[in-house]
Amino acid sequence: MREYDCISQDLETAKKIEDGAKFDNNEWSDKKEWYNMFMELKEFMYSETLDVDENDDSKYFFRLTQKNKKDAIKALNYVGVVQLKSGCQIQILPKISFENDDKDYFITKNVFLKMLNSLKDFNCKHLYNASLDISRLNIFEIFIRLFVMHVEELVSKGLKSSYVAIEDNIPYYKGKLLVSPHIRYNLTHAERFYVCYDEYNVNRPENRLLKAALLFLQRISTDLVNKKRIRQSLMHFELVEPSVNYEADFNKVVIDRTTQFYEYPLRLAKIFLHGKSFTSFAGNSKAISLLFPMEKLFEAYIAKMARNFFQECTVTVQEENKIHSLFNRQDDNVEEKKIFGLQPDVVLEWENCTIIVDTKWKRLINNPKINYGISQADMYQMYAYSKEYKTKHVCVIYPLDSGFMDNNNPSNWEVYTPVKKYINKSNGCENVVVHILMVDLRDDKGLNILFQHIEKIAVKEMRGY
């Protein structure tokens, strides 16, 4: 399914609705089995939420709605995969389309993974490895394959050993005698010693966590190649005990110069062992969910690519950007406080020109009579950015969708051309120009064309055109 698609509790309704999830009719023929899957997903919907205000509706990944007078669950703006307790996997892809054939599914999945790789916490060098076979695997199995590939790379470098403190009741004296437990356990066993000693072995927290993750994935993976590679990797962890207290072992992990190769596999292991993605969750469901907010992915992707492209100007992304505000509030005897913050996604600064770039993960509608579906609130936001940052030009970037493509010759669509250029003519004030731009996410060519167009806007402004 895609963002904002629905799953009806009734199997026949699910087959008919236009914005319904896609599934194999042969696989789902039993109405009771379908209903049980729906109830499992409903349980997940209410048990797994974002760590935000309790009254905030945006904390949910799904929403209960109705289709043809039947209850239905609607996916929101999170993409990824949910594996329910029964083993059923629900894959959610971005709600954008490029072509009208079977290729669209694979293109959209590639776009999602490419954007996912731009996240600071995810950056994965194996994502474009030919052996990954992205076209065949679903998103969950792709994550498993990535984890296994990183573990294999780690094993090839050799598992790290360290001195591990061991407490044991043994028939010979070694290390330090622990008096209290020695008296408790050996009052009638003078031949034994309860001691604590250090042993140099591979049974360190990092390896215990990796083994626990491998054993867990071996049980839930449905891909034969993944299962085989997991079994092969487990052979190298024969002397390692699997972790039983994940939190305690993660707290003991130390990433330094000698263990830097553990950082990424441990990050993935944490996702699998906790059943959480890089988003902050609160819940107690036994389902495994790897869900990512699409607006954050799109923002991170554009910001990363902008930093790579614009070498001759200062590029400031949102997390580095000093927060501006619309107003300052000053109460009696209280220090002045900034309120209603303004923090654009990217700020491009040349010597005498500044351009604000903001991203919106929304599908525009190819209809000028309704302003292409552009939100009025978004335009207010762009105007506020312009005034606060004292710049004339603001660029808003939307994903290109098939509705704006020429299906006969899609390569001729100039994605950098503004759908519309809005100019505000305020009395006594400099004009504010909001450029509504679209970007073709299928390959890097679309991004290069987009950034070249933004660069031309800056050059014209600096030359006074």
Side-chain angles (χ1 to χ4, degrees):
M1 66 190 298
R2 295 178 186 267
E3 295 172 276
Y4 305 108
D5 280 355
C6 294
I7 295 179
S8 173
Q9 72 172 23
D10 179 65
L11 181 58
E12 296 305 316
T13 304
K15 293 177 181 179
K16 295 175 184 175
I17 55 177
E18 186 177 339
D19 57 349
K22 306 296 183 289
F23 55 90
D24 188 341
N25 289 337
N26 295 325
E27 186 177 345
W28 291 101
S29 56
D30 189 318
K31 292 184 178 181
K32 185 177 180 181
E33 192 176 333
W34 176 269
Y35 179 78
N36 290 338
M37 180 277 294
F38 179 87
M39 296 308 293
E40 263 196 275
L41 182 59
K42 189 175 179 180
E43 180 189 350
F44 169 83
M45 180 181 73
Y46 287 119
S47 65
E48 291 290 333
T49 60
L50 284 167
D51 279 338
V52 295
D53 187 271
E54 190 172 337
N55 298 317
D56 190 347
D57 288 338
S58 66
K59 68 180 181 177
Y60 295 107
F61 304 107
F62 298 90
R63 180 179 295 154
L64 197 63
T65 184
Q66 287 220 329
K67 288 289 180 180
N68 297 349
K69 299 182 180 179
K70 300 286 186 180
D71 281 351
I73 293 174
K74 184 176 186 177
L76 299 182
N77 60 325
Y78 286 83
V79 294
V81 65
V82 176
Q83 176 154 317
L84 301 175
K85 288 180 284 186
S86 62
C88 173
Q89 289 184 359
I90 299 171
Q91 184 171 245
I92 307 169
L93 290 175
K95 185 93 177 175
I96 52 172
S97 57
F98 303 103
E99 301 183 24
N100 297 321
D101 54 25
D102 294 337
K103 290 182 180 178
D104 189 66
Y105 167 78
F106 301 112
I107 294 172
T108 306
K109 186 163 65 171
N110 282 333
V111 167
F112 163 62
L113 292 170
K114 181 170 63 176
M115 293 168 67
L116 186 63
N117 204 37
S118 65
L119 283 181
K120 185 173 65 174
D121 289 337
F122 185 81
N123 197 9
C124 176
K125 64 182 179 181
H126 287 307
L127 191 58
Y128 304 110
N129 192 307
S131 66
L132 189 54
D133 197 6
I134 287 175
S135 62
R136 185 181 64 84
L137 297 172
N138 64 42
I139 292 174
F140 193 68
E141 295 295 343
I142 287 173
F143 271 87
I144 294 176
R145 182 70 60 83
L146 287 172
F147 174 69
V148 174
M149 289 168 75
H150 277 280
V151 171
E152 289 171 345
E153 183 181 25
L154 179 67
V155 166
S156 69
K157 292 178 168 60
L159 297 180
K160 291 293 180 183
S161 299
S162 63
Y163 285 101
V164 179
I166 296 175
E167 290 185 14
D168 200 0
N169 200 14
I170 55 179
Y172 53 88
Y173 188 87
K174 182 179 182 181
K176 179 182 177 182
L177 182 69
L178 300 179
V179 177
S180 295
H182 177 71
I183 294 172
R184 188 183 316 127
Y185 294 111
N186 296 329
L187 193 61
T188 58
H189 293 279
E191 77 284 0
R192 304 189 73 84
F193 302 90
Y194 200 100
V195 294
C196 176
Y197 59 92
D198 290 336
E199 190 171 276
Y200 192 72
N201 59 36
V202 292
N203 194 34
R204 54 187 292 166
E206 295 87 348
N207 294 330
R208 290 199 298 269
L209 289 164
L210 292 180
K211 182 169 185 177
L214 286 169
L215 290 170
F216 172 69
L217 295 176
Q218 187 180 32
R219 293 196 305 271
I220 64 172
S221 176
T222 57
D223 182 73
L224 294 177
V225 176
N226 279 348
K227 282 180 169 290
K228 178 182 177 182
R229 293 175 72 162
I230 289 171
R231 286 196 302 271
Q232 290 171 343
S233 295
L234 281 170
M235 293 170 61
H236 299 275
F237 288 82
E238 210 170 332
L239 300 177
V240 179
E241 297 174 6
S243 175
V244 292
N245 188 335
Y246 304 149
E247 283 300 327
D249 278 342
F250 273 115
N251 289 335
K252 295 175 184 175
V253 169
V254 177
I255 301 297
D256 55 23
R257 183 177 56 82
T258 62
T259 57
Q260 58 184 334
F261 297 110
Y262 278 85
E263 184 175 7
Y264 193 79
L266 282 173
R267 194 179 295 163
L268 284 175
K270 193 169 188 177
I271 294 172
F272 290 122
L273 293 174
H274 288 300
K276 315 293 185 198
S277 67
F278 301 112
T279 305
S280 178
F281 286 73
N284 54 10
S285 170
K286 293 181 181 177
I288 302 162
S289 51
L290 302 170
L291 296 170
F292 304 85
M294 269 313 300
E295 68 275 6
K296 292 295 182 186
L297 285 182
F298 188 46
E299 173 192 318
Y301 180 59
I302 295 297
K304 179 181 178 181
M305 302 307 287
R307 194 186 288 281
N308 293 340
F309 181 87
F310 294 101
Q311 300 292 326
E312 297 182 3
C313 72
T314 302
V315 181
T316 309
V317 300
Q318 187 182 74
E319 60 188 26
E320 304 168 348
N321 204 358
K322 183 181 177 182
I323 298 178
H324 292 240
S325 60
L326 275 176
F327 301 104
N328 292 341
R329 186 181 71 197
Q330 188 168 12
D331 300 326
D332 293 340
N333 302 320
V334 178
E335 186 179 349
E336 192 175 81
K337 183 180 180 181
K338 292 183 178 182
I339 57 174
F340 303 114
L342 292 170
Q343 200 172 15
D345 296 335
V346 181
V347 179
L348 305 174
E349 295 177 284
W350 286 265
E351 190 173 342
N352 55 351
C353 175
T354 299
I355 292 182
I356 300 296
V357 176
D358 210 58
T359 59
K360 298 295 178 187
W361 183 255
K362 298 176 183 176
R363 294 175 71 180
L364 294 186
I365 303 166
N366 197 357
N367 185 351
K369 292 182 180 179
I370 57 172
N371 292 325
Y372 303 94
I374 297 168
S375 164
Q376 187 170 328
D378 289 344
M379 295 303 283
Y380 288 156
Q381 183 186 23
M382 298 310 118
Y383 185 78
Y385 283 157
S386 173
K387 293 304 177 184
E388 180 62 29
Y389 283 83
K390 298 178 175 58
T391 180
K392 179 180 177 180
H393 296 280
V394 179
C395 296
V396 194
I397 302 175
Y398 293 84
L400 176 68
D401 190 71
S402 58
F404 285 86
M405 290 182 181
D406 178 359
N407 290 325
N408 295 322
N409 194 358
S411 62
N412 283 345
W413 174 260
E414 294 179 334
V415 295
Y416 62 85
T417 302
V419 173
K420 199 71 176 175
K421 187 159 62 175
Y422 295 89
I423 303 177
N424 173 273
K425 297 184 177 179
S426 303
N427 292 329
C429 297
E430 187 180 8
N431 292 342
V432 175
V433 183
V434 179
H435 305 265
I436 304 298
L437 308 175
M438 301 181 76
V439 58
D440 189 343
L441 295 168
R442 288 174 293 184
D443 53 45
D444 292 341
K445 181 182 176 182
L447 276 169
N448 288 331
I449 295 173
L450 172 80
F451 293 143
Q452 286 168 11
H453 180 66
I454 294 175
E455 197 170 47
K456 287 177 184 176
I457 296 172
V459 170
K460 287 182 179 179
E461 181 65 23
M462 287 187 285
R463 291 178 179 175
Y465 293 163

